[in-house]
Amino acid sequence: DWTRAKHSSVDSHRHLPTQHSRRRDPEEKEEEEMDRFTAHLGVGVVMYILLAAAPRTTATFSFLSIGDWGDTGAKDIAGSMAKYNPEFVLALGDNFYDQGVNGIDDPQFKEKFEDTFSSKSLQVPWYVCAGNHDYYGGNKGIQAEMEYTTKSDRWHYPELYFSKDVKTVDNTSITILSIDTWRLNGGDTYVLFDPKTNRSALRNVSHAIKQYELGAITNGTVNQLLKHFAPEDPNNRVNVSDDQAQLDFIEKVLNASQADWKLVIGHFPVYSATVMEHGSTESLIRLVKPLLDKYKVDAYFNGHDHVLQHIQTDGINYFGSGAGAREHTGINKSFPGLKGYHEGTYGFMVHEGNKSSLKTTFIAQDGSETYTYTIHK
């Protein structure tokens, strides 16, 4: 009983003056006052104060990022991914090698997604963007990937570009903006694409065949290119225009976001330090980077180049996580802003944070951690 405890405690500390009592110094008086204060509060209240003053363990959220994962090689890293118990996964394009999908019931959805990332801890939302190999399946393939959102509990790709506001386990707010870099770039190395008219054409048939002969692209890729994209007609050229509707959407989302973290995902890199691969994307530097800068985006995530890399430019962090099922060796180590990289094996990234910090770690194919960097607000 709190009342009984109070009275018994006070009584036990009462001093009755006698002729033998001595004069108490100030420290003794202070101790006595503290004893009286403690007795009146009771043990429970004191414990509450002590616990409140003790250091607290900061709760954190976590998520993964992986690009170029759409092949059987991703099984080599799926087990390592499962160990991190993410709240969500950023899927950075080239979801189905080499030729995209041909419909919502394409068996690749099961083989390369459902059965590959089958661990219980990976049954979380996957926020998806399309890569060039997804577009190699033609408009029908892209439409099927979007429609799969209605069939899968975790696949989230409702539109060509979209945004999602997420509240994490520690109540951190995150805006995820998925953009379509194929449309912004007007296709890729092999295909011209005009987002205004949705017309497309092979840039150069001979070049595509030559790249296959050199081993730069697979037989499946060259066959898919020749199947879905006709050579450009010199009398009816494909004139690539800016995807203004998407640029307006990007600006609207970023301007409206009040989230603790603003994250943008797209398949093509803005900046890339790779050698003998795709490298930086000039159209994205021209069109997208100014918006990332203007609205102080915290990080841009991409695939396309088959390495793990971190580049920091003008305060924006660019994370290239394109080694999910493809690998590459070749990095320009003097590339401006290059902070860290991993090459030569499959891999992915794990991201852990709270409202004020975001830690990124590169995970290699063997499960080892090869690079870590923390963004502090």
Side-chain angles (χ1 to χ4, degrees):
D1 180 284
W2 182 86
T3 304
R4 286 200 302 270
K6 179 184 74 170
H7 287 297
S8 63
S9 181
V10 170
D11 289 342
S12 68
H13 288 82
R14 184 174 293 150
H15 293 274
L16 299 177
T18 70
Q19 60 179 352
H20 299 294
S21 62
R22 62 181 176 82
R23 198 176 193 84
R24 291 169 293 161
D25 60 35
E27 288 186 4
E28 287 180 310
K29 289 183 178 180
E30 186 176 339
E31 289 178 5
E32 182 178 327
E33 290 301 318
M34 180 58 71
D35 288 341
R36 289 178 181 275
F37 176 71
T38 302
H40 279 283
L41 284 176
V43 175
V45 179
V46 173
M47 288 299 295
Y48 173 81
I49 293 174
L50 291 174
L51 289 172
R56 298 181 181 181
T57 301
T58 304
T60 59
F61 62 82
S62 67
F63 65 92
L64 308 179
S65 63
I66 180 172
D68 303 71
W69 52 269
D71 211 341
T72 54
K75 293 179 180 179
D76 292 344
I77 59 173
S80 293
M81 291 173 64
K83 297 176 182 178
Y84 291 92
N85 298 302
E87 291 188 48
F88 58 86
V89 178
L90 302 180
L92 305 174
D94 280 0
N95 309 315
F96 300 100
Y97 279 110
D98 282 313
Q99 52 205 27
V101 294
N102 58 27
I104 194 171
D105 295 318
D106 191 309
Q108 291 184 92
F109 282 112
K110 186 175 188 302
E111 177 191 3
K112 296 177 179 178
F113 178 56
E114 304 291 358
D115 290 351
T116 295
F117 306 102
S118 57
S119 297
K120 183 178 180 180
S121 64
L122 298 179
Q123 307 305 305
V124 295
W126 285 54
Y127 299 110
V128 181
C129 66
N132 52 309
H133 281 273
D134 301 300
Y135 267 96
Y136 290 172
N139 291 332
K140 182 180 179 181
I142 291 296
Q143 188 63 36
E145 287 197 35
M146 291 190 290
E147 290 177 359
Y148 196 69
T149 301
T150 65
K151 188 174 181 178
S152 169
D153 291 335
R154 52 178 171 154
W155 183 270
H156 192 86
Y157 180 45
E159 304 286 346
L160 295 172
Y161 43 89
F162 64 92
S163 67
K164 178 70 175 179
D165 290 320
V166 174
K167 277 284 188 181
T168 64
V169 66
D170 68 333
N171 207 37
T172 297
S173 58
I174 302 176
T175 292
I176 300 170
L177 173 58
S178 174
I179 67 175
D180 190 315
T181 56
W182 171 275
R183 297 177 64 87
L184 290 168
N185 189 55
D188 70 349
T189 306
Y190 302 104
V191 179
L192 280 168
F193 176 81
D194 177 32
K196 188 174 182 179
T197 62
N198 283 324
R199 292 181 61 221
S200 57
L202 274 180
R203 294 178 185 268
N204 188 312
V205 174
S206 298
H207 175 67
I209 294 173
K210 184 66 174 177
Q211 290 300 104
Y212 163 66
E213 292 173 346
L214 292 173
I217 58 177
T218 66
N219 181 61
T221 295
V222 72
N223 286 339
Q224 198 72 359
L225 289 171
L226 296 175
K227 175 181 177 181
H228 281 288
F229 304 101
E232 185 177 25
D233 183 349
N235 297 315
N236 187 21
R237 299 245 178 225
V238 175
N239 296 311
V240 176
S241 54
D242 291 344
D243 189 357
Q244 193 57 50
Q246 182 176 181
L247 292 170
D248 291 344
F249 177 80
I250 294 170
E251 180 148 29
K252 179 181 178 181
V253 169
L254 295 179
N255 182 49
S257 175
Q258 298 297 315
D260 298 312
W261 297 96
K262 297 180 184 179
L263 310 180
V264 179
I265 69 173
H267 182 61
F268 294 157
V270 177
Y271 293 104
S272 175
T274 55
V275 176
M276 300 300 291
E277 218 179 8
H278 306 100
S280 302
T281 310
E282 292 302 321
S283 62
L284 299 186
I285 294 173
R286 176 174 63 88
L287 297 171
V288 175
K289 182 185 182 297
L291 297 175
L292 304 182
D293 293 340
K294 179 179 179 180
Y295 294 105
K296 296 179 172 56
V297 166
D298 296 292
Y300 176 85
F301 300 82
N302 63 269
H304 202 44
D305 280 349
H306 304 146
V307 298
L308 305 179
Q309 58 181 318
H310 174 208
I311 295 168
Q312 193 177 75
T313 300
D314 297 328
I316 309 296
N317 293 278
Y318 297 90
F319 292 107
S321 183
R326 292 288 186 271
E327 62 185 58
H328 174 75
T329 299
I331 291 285
N332 175 7
K333 298 175 180 62
S334 62
F335 189 91
L338 180 65
K339 306 285 285 185
Y341 66 91
H342 175 77
E343 59 183 340
T345 76
Y346 301 154
F348 62 96
M349 296 184 190
V350 57
H351 313 275
E352 302 164 292
N354 51 45
K355 289 178 182 289
S356 60
S357 66
L358 182 62
K359 175 184 174 184
T360 293
T361 304
F362 293 2
I363 310 297
Q365 186 171 340
D366 62 3
S368 62
E369 299 181 357
T370 64
Y371 170 77
T372 297
Y373 183 86
T374 301
I375 303 169
H376 294 283
K377 290 274 194 179

